[in-house]
């Protein structure tokens, strides 16, 4: 693997937790071992949950974890004035316009409740494909038709060639939300392409996101994204094997800092890092 840039990409929708710390430290270890620089990219387009204190917590947590950022904002003010995703909105709109022009999106007005009613699995199975709702209708999301998606090839760290199908829970993924804002898969892809990221470190729980974003890159003709190396690591779970949540205060990095914990205490919990 010959990677030049990886990224840490938290969302400011709550205080960061131990699961975030594990992923960040994993990214740091891989970057140090391979001479790769780290970009800080804060995904802040969920404006309803955005709070300045959550952004500040990201900087405080990175300091606490002794992670040096090579590219990206250094503080809250610099983030809001220069690095927020709001400043890249035109790039997201260009991608959405391209998807619309090549007729790769369809409109969907289904709520979560309706999706549950349509199929007991709770997965969206493309029920709006045949309805042909206008894309400019108010309160509709734009989805990608994945009904004929094939196996998607990708490179798993360090250099293992793999392929997989988009799972049911990610099929017909959303690229524009009902409020008109671009959705996560699209913004994440556009940002990684914009900054030139070539190593993505994320938890196993985001494996489906990798496949959706690779599929979207193929549709948009962004062949450089297919050359990215992905490292999907195990996720840290709570005492009852539950996935950690930002709403669970006791596992937040902020809480542990206030309890007087040090980086060594966190590293002890996780064990050795490396390849």
């Amino acid at each position: 693997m010959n990677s030049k840039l990886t990224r840490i990409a938290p969302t400011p929708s709550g205080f960061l937790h131990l699961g975030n710390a594990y992923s960040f430290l994993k990214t740091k270890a891989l970057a140090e071992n391979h001479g790769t620089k780290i970009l800080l990219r804060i995904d802040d387009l969920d404006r309803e949950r955005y709070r300045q204190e959550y952004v500040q917590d990201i900087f405080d947590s990175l300091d606490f974890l002794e992670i040096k950022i090579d590219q990206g904002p250094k503080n809250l003010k610099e983030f809001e004035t220069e690095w927020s995703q709001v400043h890249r909105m035109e790039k997201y709109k260009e991608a959405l316009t391209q998807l619309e022009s090549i007729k790769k999106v369809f409109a969907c007005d289904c709520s979560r409740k309706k999706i549950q009613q349509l199929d007991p699995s709770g997965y969206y199975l493309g029920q709006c494909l045949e309805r042909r709702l206008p894309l400019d209708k108010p309160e509709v999301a734009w989805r990608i038709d994945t009904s004929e998606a094939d196996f998607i090839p990708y490179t798993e760290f360090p250099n293992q060639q793999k392929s997989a199908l988009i799972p049911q829970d990610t099929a017909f993924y959303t690229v524009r939300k009902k409020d008109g804002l671009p959705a996560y898969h699209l913004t994440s892809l556009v940002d990684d392409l914009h900054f030139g990221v070539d190593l993505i470190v994320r938890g196993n729980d985001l494996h489906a996101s990798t496949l959706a974003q690779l599929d979207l890159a193929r549709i948009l003709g962004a062949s450089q994204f297919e050359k990215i190396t992905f490292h999907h690591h195990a996720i840290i779970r709570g005492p009852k094997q539950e996935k950690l949540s930002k709403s669970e205060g006791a596992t937040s990095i902020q809480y542990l800092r206030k309890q007087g914990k040090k980086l060594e205490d966190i590293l002890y919990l996780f064990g050795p890092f490396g390849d």
Side-chain angles (χ1 to χ4, degrees):
M1 187 193 74
N2 185 24
S3 173
K4 295 179 181 178
L5 185 68
T6 186
R7 54 27 168 216
I8 287 173
T11 56
S13 57
F15 294 112
L16 299 178
H17 54 63
L18 280 174
N20 300 118
Y22 182 84
S23 190
F24 293 178
L25 289 167
K26 191 76 175 174
T27 303
K28 175 188 177 183
L30 287 176
E32 289 177 346
N33 289 345
H34 296 277
T36 303
K37 293 188 180 301
I38 300 176
L39 161 75
L40 173 60
R41 191 196 84 203
I42 300 174
D43 292 354
D44 67 318
L45 276 193
D46 185 349
R47 303 311 292 179
E48 287 187 5
R49 294 197 292 171
Y50 177 86
R51 300 286 184 276
Q52 287 187 333
E53 57 263 38
Y54 296 154
V55 178
Q56 186 57 51
D57 178 63
I58 292 169
F59 292 111
D60 294 342
S61 297
L62 290 171
D63 286 343
F64 173 71
L65 298 171
E66 297 179 10
I67 296 175
K68 176 179 174 288
I69 296 300
D70 301 291
Q71 188 177 340
K74 299 296 189 290
N75 52 55
L76 171 62
K77 182 180 178 182
E78 196 173 296
F79 167 69
E80 291 192 333
T81 58
E82 299 177 41
W83 291 88
S84 167
Q85 287 185 310
V86 172
H87 302 304
R88 297 190 291 280
M89 193 63 74
E90 284 306 310
K91 291 186 176 292
Y92 310 141
K93 288 181 178 177
E94 286 172 12
L96 287 170
T97 299
Q98 183 180 346
L99 291 170
E100 181 182 11
S101 66
I102 59 178
K103 296 179 170 52
K104 291 296 185 181
V105 288
F106 66 96
C108 167
D109 61 3
C110 294
S111 63
R112 288 185 182 180
K113 183 179 180 181
K114 184 177 179 182
I115 291 171
Q116 187 73 47
Q117 290 171 342
L118 288 169
D119 193 277
S121 69
Y123 300 146
Y124 180 77
L125 302 178
Q127 289 90 345
C128 292
L129 263 172
E130 300 305 318
R131 294 175 65 201
R132 303 192 186 283
L133 298 171
L135 290 173
D136 59 357
K137 181 184 177 184
E139 292 294 308
V140 296
W142 289 9
R143 293 179 179 271
I144 296 287
D145 180 5
T146 60
S147 55
E148 296 183 5
D150 203 345
F151 278 87
I152 298 169
Y154 64 98
T155 302
E156 183 74 31
F157 176 86
N159 194 29
Q160 186 178 4
Q161 301 306 307
K162 291 189 172 184
S163 67
L165 291 169
I166 296 175
Q168 273 195 319
D169 62 356
T170 309
F172 306 101
Y173 55 87
T174 302
V175 291
R176 198 194 78 166
K177 298 182 291 184
K178 286 184 177 180
D179 59 8
L181 288 174
Y184 165 71
H185 292 310
L186 185 130
T187 59
S188 183
L189 169 65
V190 170
D191 281 353
D192 286 332
L193 292 170
H194 172 67
F195 291 111
V197 170
D198 55 9
L199 170 64
I200 294 177
V201 180
R202 54 175 38 148
N204 281 330
D205 57 326
L206 292 176
H207 183 257
S209 295
T210 293
L211 299 174
Q213 288 159 28
L214 282 163
D215 182 61
L216 185 57
R218 176 189 59 79
I219 292 169
L220 290 169
S223 57
Q224 61 269 46
F225 193 78
E226 298 166 11
K227 300 172 185 174
I228 287 180
T229 298
F230 296 87
H231 179 64
H232 299 94
H233 58 72
I235 61 172
I236 301 298
R237 295 188 177 275
K240 298 179 182 178
Q241 291 303 300
E242 76 278 13
K243 184 180 173 183
L244 297 183
S245 165
K246 287 179 181 173
S247 61
E248 182 55 53
T251 62
S252 75
I253 304 171
Q254 182 197 60
Y255 175 84
L256 296 170
R257 288 200 312 269
K258 290 180 177 178
Q259 292 296 306
K261 301 295 184 183
K262 305 294 183 186
L263 175 58
E264 299 77 47
D265 301 315
I266 307 298
L267 293 172
Y268 178 78
L269 285 175
F270 294 153
F273 284 89
D275 289 0

